[in-house]
Amino acid sequence: MAKAAAGRPARSSVWLEGKAPRGGRGGGQPSGLDRERITAVTVRLLDAEGLAKFSMRRLAAELNVTAMSVYWYVDTKDDLLELALDAAYGELRLPDPDADEDWRDQLRALATEYRALLVRHPWLSPLAGTYLNIGPNSLAFSRVVQRVIRRTGLPARGVTGAISAVFQFVYGYGTIEGHFFARVADAGMTPDDYFQHAMSSVTEVPETAEVIQESKDIMAARGGDTVAEMLDRDFTFALDLLVAGIEAMVERG
């Protein structure tokens, strides 16, 4: 079994397979089924039930077709997840890098959009870290990011580093935030109630109470009456730090 698997070439990406999307009816395929509809329902299921519970059988049931009908349009579950990933990237509202706007405003807009996407679709971050992200929507996002960063005045050798600094930060922030809200929803609580319950619990444990006590002044200075406000303020300040870092590197030359 292992030898057979080792002998098969690895599938790099659905976008590199060189196959045209299957469509239309044929071979008894159900009416109204196409790759776009299958992908849209996949996104909806991933949002509702999460990545761990997703299966081709579950998808087929949602579409009211057989699992084999789904395989008429996609070869593997991986292919379908990659299509869903790129469909989610299509939700991003991208600024025009040629518009007469400050690069700082455009960079903040892109970072904010990406964060919101990661929070809205908690399943996106593990998939983004698994696949090549070379679908049309993902590439459109990457292209705009690159063009905005080029407008900062950084030398060419610093462009990819700046992109990594900003968007790997956003990836990490949005991933943790998205998982937090998913955990809160599973607990059947509001984010604020969950936060207060967690803080109350850790202050009662000697091992963690000291850490919380040392952090009280930081928490108070942080501001924000709700979890959402605290998260927004931290994100905005961290992003301002990164923008300031880019400005400093430009001035340094």
Side-chain angles (χ1 to χ4, degrees), residues 83-235:
L83 291 169
L85 173 64
D86 196 65
Y89 273 107
E91 298 174 15
L92 291 167
R93 293 172 298 180
L94 304 178
D96 179 1
D98 295 324
D100 186 20
E101 294 180 64
D102 192 287
W103 65 263
R104 299 162 187 81
D105 294 333
Q106 291 196 329
L107 185 60
R108 288 188 178 98
L110 284 165
T112 301
E113 278 285 307
Y114 190 37
R115 172 198 172 194
L117 186 73
L118 289 160
V119 174
R120 192 162 61 246
H121 303 300
W123 50 269
L124 188 145
S125 58
L127 295 186
T130 299
Y131 298 112
L132 293 178
N133 299 315
I134 55 172
N137 294 318
S138 179
L139 288 178
F141 173 58
S142 297
R143 183 168 183 262
V144 171
V145 166
Q146 183 180 122
R147 292 181 66 190
V148 169
I149 293 292
R150 280 181 176 273
R151 292 179 54 214
T152 64
L154 285 169
R157 67 177 182 276
V159 168
T160 55
I163 291 172
S164 296
V166 174
F167 289 94
Q168 288 188 23
F169 151 69
V170 179
Y171 175 85
Y173 198 96
T175 295
I176 293 172
E177 186 179 2
H179 290 178
F180 169 76
F181 284 121
R183 189 162 58 248
V184 167
D186 288 342
M189 303 172 71
T190 68
D192 295 328
D193 288 342
Y194 187 96
F195 177 74
Q196 292 300 328
H197 173 71
M199 293 299 292
S200 297
S201 298
V202 296
T203 53
E204 295 172 0
V205 180
E207 290 79 4
T208 54
E210 185 178 352
V211 177
I212 298 301
Q213 185 63 35
E214 291 176 355
S215 305
K216 272 192 172 181
D217 61 327
I218 297 175
M219 298 291 286
R222 174 195 211 184
D225 296 324
T226 67
V227 169
E229 288 173 352
M230 288 188 286
L231 289 169
D232 284 346
R233 289 189 185 191
D234 283 351
F235 180 82

Side-chain angles (χ1 to χ4, degrees), residues 49-96:
E49 302 177 2
L51 185 58
K53 294 182 180 178
F54 180 79
S55 69
M56 299 296 271
R57 188 181 299 276
R58 176 71 185 88
L59 172 64
E62 187 72 13
L63 290 164
N64 198 29
V65 299
T66 65
M68 290 308 297
S69 296
V70 177
Y71 282 114
W72 177 260
Y73 296 92
V74 290
D75 289 337
T76 68
K77 177 181 172 181
D78 279 343
D79 286 356
L80 186 52
L81 291 175
E82 200 174 3
L83 291 169
L85 173 64
D86 196 65
Y89 273 107
E91 298 174 15
L92 291 167
R93 293 172 298 180
L94 304 178
D96 179 1

